[in-house]
Structure formats: C-alpha cells, structure tokens
C-alpha cells in the first residue's frame, strides 16, 4: 500500500513531521521497486541504506524531543524504536545485501505497518507536549 501523509499524523514538531514524510517516501520508493520486480541490486541497496540512516537519525531526534518535552510516551517510544531497529538489523544481517523477493516484501509490509501504527498511536502523543497550555 502506498503511504500517504495525512494532517492527523502531525506531532506538532516540524522537524519530526518532515522526517516522518521522508520515511513514508523511502518506503514508497521501496514499494515501487518491489512492484517493478526489483528485489536486489544497487537501487534496493541504496533505498535500504537510506532507510537505515534515516531511521537512526529520526529515532535519535524523536527520543530527544520526547525526553525534553517530558512526553508520557517517551519510554514506550524508545522501546518501539529499539524493537524496530532490531527487526531492521535482523533483516540486514540475514540477507547480506541480497534479499530474496519474499524477504524484501515481508520486510516492507511489516515496516510500513509498524511506521503507520507507531506514528498514529505513539508519536502523536507528542502533540500535547508541543502546544502551549490553553488559557482559561
């Protein structure tokens, strides 16, 4: 499924929201490769390398942001990030840069599902920590 950014995914932090959009774009690029029967080679490797780099940078930024703003989901967020990175690393180490069609398709499907669930049910809690308290 193609990931489409929606306004209700916003966290209230422009940097994090832009990083989320880039992750959506990377997973959409990976999906396009899979749909075109490209499961291995330099294009897949380039996207997967970008996914890894972007995830690590985004997770670092987001965890820092949640900690600084005392977001009540900060611990859960970190646990989920660690779980996703472990899945990514298992995929990477298990395929030595040459994934099978089934392995790449499964990784992509699970990664997209995780990203949507994570943004919608964990990251959006940051919204309440980025807005000034309402008067009254």
């Amino acid at each position: 499924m193609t990931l489409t950014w929606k306004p209700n995914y916003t966290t209230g932090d422009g940097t994090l929201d832009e990083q989320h959009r880039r992750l959506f774009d990377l997973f959409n690029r990976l999906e396009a490769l899979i749909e075109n029967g490209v499961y291995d080679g330099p294009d897949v490797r380039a996207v997967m390398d970008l996914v890894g780099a972007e995830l690590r940078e985004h997770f670092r930024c987001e965890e820092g942001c949640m900690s600084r703003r005392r977001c009540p989901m900060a611990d859960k967020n970190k646990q989920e990030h660690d779980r996703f990175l472990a899945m990514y690393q298992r995929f990477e180490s298990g395929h030595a840069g040459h994934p099978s069609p089934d392995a790449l398709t499964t990784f992509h499907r699970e990664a997209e599902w995780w990203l949507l669930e994570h943004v919608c049910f964990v990251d959006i809690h940051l919204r309440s920590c980025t807005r000034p308290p309402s008067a009254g």
Side-chain angles (χ1 to χ4, degrees):
M1 106 183 116
T2 300
L3 295 173
T4 304
W5 180 260
K6 297 178 183 174
N8 60 319
Y9 297 163
T10 59
T11 64
D13 183 291
T15 298
L16 298 179
D17 292 337
E18 182 56 35
Q19 290 172 345
H20 285 151
R21 286 185 192 98
R22 284 196 305 266
L23 286 167
F24 276 41
D25 179 59
L26 286 171
F27 286 117
N28 287 338
R29 287 170 58 188
L30 186 58
E31 180 177 357
L33 289 168
I34 291 167
E35 286 177 350
N36 288 313
V38 179
Y39 301 99
D40 193 3
D43 292 338
V44 171
R45 183 76 262 136
V47 171
M48 290 302 294
D49 287 347
L50 287 170
V51 164
E54 189 70 33
L55 284 171
R56 286 180 181 88
E57 175 64 15
H58 170 66
F59 290 172
R60 185 190 61 75
C61 289
E62 190 174 87
E63 288 167 15
C65 183
M66 284 192 170
S67 178
R68 283 189 306 280
R69 293 184 175 146
R70 294 179 174 81
C71 181
M73 295 297 279
D75 289 340
K76 180 173 179 57
N77 184 56
K78 171 82 169 105
Q79 291 168 357
E80 290 208 7
H81 288 172
D82 290 347
R83 187 172 56 91
F84 186 86
L85 281 175
M87 179 185 77
Y88 174 80
Q89 290 165 344
R90 276 191 310 275
F91 173 81
E92 286 289 285
S93 65
H95 299 286
H98 302 287
S100 69
D102 285 343
L104 187 64
T105 301
T106 298
F107 171 80
H108 175 260
R109 184 180 60 245
E110 290 175 1
E112 273 193 342
W113 178 86
W114 183 89
L115 181 59
L116 279 176
E117 290 288 309
H118 185 75
V119 169
C120 291
F121 295 108
V122 176
D123 292 348
I124 62 163
H125 287 275
L126 190 55
R127 240 186 261 154
S128 64
C129 304
T130 58
R131 292 188 189 139
S134 59

